[in-house]
Amino acid sequence: MTEKEKVIIQSGMKLFAQKGFSSTSIQEIATESNISKGAFYLHFKSKDDLLLSILEYIFDTIESSRLVFENQDLSPREKFIKQISAFFRTFIGHKEFMIMLSKEQAIPRNEEIKKLLFKKRFESHLLHRKGLVSIYGQKIEPFSIDLAMILEGLFQTYVGLMMLEPAEFEIEKLSHYLMKRMDSIVKDISSEEPFLTEEKMENIIKNSKQFFEPANVNNLIKNMRNVIDQMENREVLEISLDVLEEEINKQSPRLPVIKGMLSNFKGIAKLE
């Protein structure tokens, strides 16, 4: 990342937090960055591209804050607690930006962003599992998925409250508190069977890929045409499919036209 890109990213974060993603123009970001609008496009293709880079920047910040403690002479527990605290501090440091994302639901508009979030969440899950095993020993390895999930659920809940009133939270105290709660859970969990196993997780990840990998639309159209060819009274459906195919292959497809054509296939089980 160049210094100029870092300036644009920081300007984008500031403006998105203040005005919202949708209400901020590229011209405003360029002005805040002290560059021309044309110069913006030398570094980022669009606002969505900038949003993706901002999220990557935040994740890189989280990773850097974690690595600070990785090689320090600390016990596994002390290291893990400090890394949890660093995670909380990073989120608080970008509080306004994170609130904007949750309010505007800006994330779902970009497939690359959804893939990034899925990837980073999975990576952090593996790190949490590794950290918990380093603290409690190999005996909890079969339960490490469940324990990491429980801990991550606690993270999300407390991060949500921190966004509302960060001044009410002593981060180090909270991190120690959460680990004591994990102590209690680990103490009793050995009498149970693991709820989530490696096999179950692999199946979940495998099945979830369909939600993150965009479908080949032209293949879908082809399959629909094959179904329609076997139907009686298919003229209206064939015309609708022709219009649909033409529209989706335009440089700027019109959503109302696509929705209108799709409505003609409602109620037909084979095409649903």
Side-chain angles (χ1 to χ4, degrees):
M1 180 189 300
T2 66
E3 285 303 313
K4 183 58 68 178
E5 286 170 346
K6 191 177 290 187
V7 169
I8 297 171
I9 283 171
Q10 291 170 345
S11 297
M13 273 198 290
K14 176 182 175 182
L15 290 172
F16 291 160
Q18 290 175 349
K19 301 186 61 178
F21 178 81
S22 301
S23 300
T24 302
S25 69
I26 288 176
Q27 181 60 65
E28 288 172 319
I29 297 169
T31 301
E32 181 71 24
S33 305
N34 200 28
I35 60 173
S36 67
K37 187 175 180 180
F40 173 92
Y41 287 110
L42 294 175
H43 301 280
F44 301 99
K45 293 180 290 186
S46 62
K47 267 203 310 181
D48 278 13
D49 188 34
L50 175 59
L51 180 60
L52 176 64
S53 295
I54 289 172
L55 289 170
E56 288 174 337
Y57 175 79
I58 291 173
F59 283 123
D60 286 345
T61 303
I62 292 171
E63 177 65 7
S64 296
S65 65
R66 185 187 71 81
L67 289 174
V68 166
F69 306 103
E70 195 61 40
N71 297 317
Q72 290 188 11
D73 186 19
L74 299 167
S75 70
R77 187 184 185 91
E78 289 173 317
K79 182 189 299 182
F80 198 64
I81 286 173
K82 287 185 179 296
Q83 289 174 338
I84 292 172
S85 298
F87 166 82
F88 285 138
R89 287 195 184 92
T90 301
F91 267 80
I92 289 177
H94 299 96
K95 178 172 77 79
E96 289 80 9
F97 177 78
M98 294 298 183
I99 290 173
M100 178 280 298
L101 283 183
S102 63
K103 280 184 177 179
E104 291 205 24
Q105 297 183 324
I107 290 172
R109 62 174 75 221
N110 187 308
E111 287 297 325
E112 288 301 312
I113 290 174
K114 285 194 282 187
K115 286 181 182 179
L116 174 68
L117 293 176
F118 184 77
K119 177 175 180 286
K120 291 300 181 182
R121 183 168 184 180
F122 184 65
E123 287 176 357
S124 67
H125 173 76
L126 293 178
L127 286 170
H128 295 151
R129 287 176 60 185
K130 181 181 177 182
L132 290 168
V133 171
S134 72
I135 294 169
Y136 297 110
Q138 287 297 321
K139 66 181 183 295
I140 64 104
E141 175 66 44
F143 303 93
S144 62
I145 298 176
D146 291 319
L147 291 170
M149 289 286 188
I150 292 167
L151 184 60
E152 287 155 12
L154 293 171
F155 284 168
Q156 291 175 21
T157 301
Y158 282 98
V159 164
L161 290 173
M162 282 183 186
M163 294 298 176
L164 299 175
E165 197 55 59
E168 294 295 323
F169 289 85
E170 296 178 45
I171 290 176
E172 292 287 345
K173 188 174 181 180
L174 173 61
S175 299
H176 281 277
Y177 178 83
L178 292 179
M179 286 310 300
K180 286 180 180 177
R181 303 292 69 76
M182 295 306 296
D183 291 344
S184 301
I185 294 170
V186 169
K187 183 179 178 182
D188 294 330
I189 204 169
S190 59
S191 62
E192 304 277 347
E193 289 293 321
F195 185 78
L196 284 174
T197 61
E198 293 282 359
E199 184 180 0
K200 283 184 181 179
M201 280 297 288
E202 285 176 8
N203 288 334
I204 290 169
I205 293 167
K206 181 181 177 181
N207 293 332
S208 68
K209 283 185 178 179
Q210 62 182 305
F211 298 107
F212 297 93
E213 295 177 356
N216 186 315
V217 180
N218 287 312
N219 282 346
L220 290 176
I221 293 287
K222 182 180 178 181
N223 293 338
M224 290 174 74
R225 197 175 298 282
N226 290 337
V227 172
I228 291 170
D229 285 345
Q230 308 302 316
M231 300 171 67
E232 297 181 3
N233 303 318
R234 59 181 184 262
E235 185 178 357
V236 172
L237 296 178
E238 286 177 337
I239 293 171
S240 298
L241 194 61
D242 288 341
V243 174
L244 183 62
E245 185 174 25
E246 181 182 353
E247 192 64 35
I248 65 171
N249 284 308
K250 288 181 178 179
Q251 188 170 356
S252 300
R254 294 167 294 177
L255 189 58
V257 174
I258 293 173
K259 285 184 174 180
M261 293 303 102
L262 287 175
S263 68
N264 294 330
F265 301 106
K266 281 187 176 179
I268 303 173
K270 291 182 179 180
L271 298 172
E272 195 66 43

